[in-house]
Amino acid sequence: ELIASGQFRQDLYYRIRTVEIQLPPLRERKEDIPLLVDHFHKEYSARYGKHAIPNQELYAELLNYKWPGNVRELQHSLERAVILCKNDRITLEDFQLGDLLTPGTFDGQSLKLSEVEREAILKALNKFRGNLTQAAVELGIGRSTLYRKIDEYGIKFTEN
């Protein structure tokens, strides 16, 4: 349709249409959820220097969730859980899906990773009164990463 309307180049279409794979949504592939959680957990644990592992009860809850955002939603939710986890076990509270698992109870807070990350940075900066070193340790990231995120999110603060 896009080619016919002139909105997409025909030559480009044939270059990228080598193999077409039909992939059902994640809610129809529940057996993939534990594998994806393990994969993304390893990736984000290494990236953020955190060693918390998913609580076994968490898997049952994640299997019950409908995953309207498919694999990308699972990926971002797990990244957020690794970032915000305060103990050696990632729980449903860290995952922040508790309200979403019960239909009709979600309170409207944003689930965008960038907004959650920005909020976590602001909380850490407030907790340590602008001390970047302590805030970075609390967040489980390097000081240079914290500087970059502060710039990226346009966070204004007074450094101590």
Side-chain angles (χ1 to χ4, degrees):
E1 291 175 15
L2 292 174
I3 292 170
S5 69
Q7 294 178 319
F8 198 87
R9 289 180 22 204
Q10 187 174 15
D11 65 311
L12 180 58
Y13 172 74
Y14 288 114
R15 283 186 187 159
I16 63 174
R17 189 180 178 262
T18 304
V19 176
E20 210 172 298
I21 300 173
Q22 295 295 323
L23 190 62
L26 188 57
R27 68 182 165 275
E28 295 176 15
R29 302 180 287 127
K30 301 271 185 191
E31 67 278 0
D32 289 352
I33 292 174
L35 299 170
L36 290 166
V37 168
D38 291 342
H39 169 75
F40 292 130
H41 168 259
K42 287 176 186 170
E43 179 182 334
Y44 295 125
S45 293
R47 180 180 297 174
Y48 297 110
K50 297 256 189 135
H51 302 289
I53 58 172
N55 187 327
Q56 286 303 313
E57 292 82 41
L58 176 66
Y59 285 98
E61 296 293 341
L62 298 179
L63 290 171
N64 289 329
Y65 184 59
K66 299 293 183 215
W67 298 107
N70 285 309
V71 174
R72 193 171 310 268
E73 181 183 6
L74 175 64
Q75 178 182 4
H76 291 299
S77 297
L78 189 58
E79 182 176 16
R80 180 175 46 252
V82 169
I83 290 168
L84 298 177
C85 183
K86 293 180 174 66
N87 300 314
D88 63 347
R89 295 269 182 205
I90 298 173
T91 66
L92 190 59
E93 287 178 6
D94 299 315
F95 228 86
Q96 296 186 351
L97 289 176
D99 291 334
L100 295 177
L101 293 170
T102 308
T105 61
F106 183 57
D107 65 1
Q109 279 188 317
S110 173
L111 289 178
K112 288 184 179 178
L113 182 59
S114 61
E115 292 177 22
V116 172
E117 190 173 51
R118 184 179 194 280
E119 184 65 26
I121 290 169
L122 286 169
K123 284 181 181 178
L125 289 171
N126 285 333
K127 179 178 179 179
F128 296 105
R129 298 187 179 146
N131 184 310
L132 290 177
T133 302
Q134 289 179 320
V137 169
E138 176 78 5
L139 292 166
I141 60 176
R143 189 177 160 104
S144 61
T145 301
L146 181 56
Y147 269 117
R148 184 175 47 79
K149 298 271 183 197
I150 287 169
D151 185 50
E152 177 182 336
Y153 298 130
I155 297 173
K156 305 286 187 233
F157 73 100
T158 305
E159 187 175 356
N160 289 338

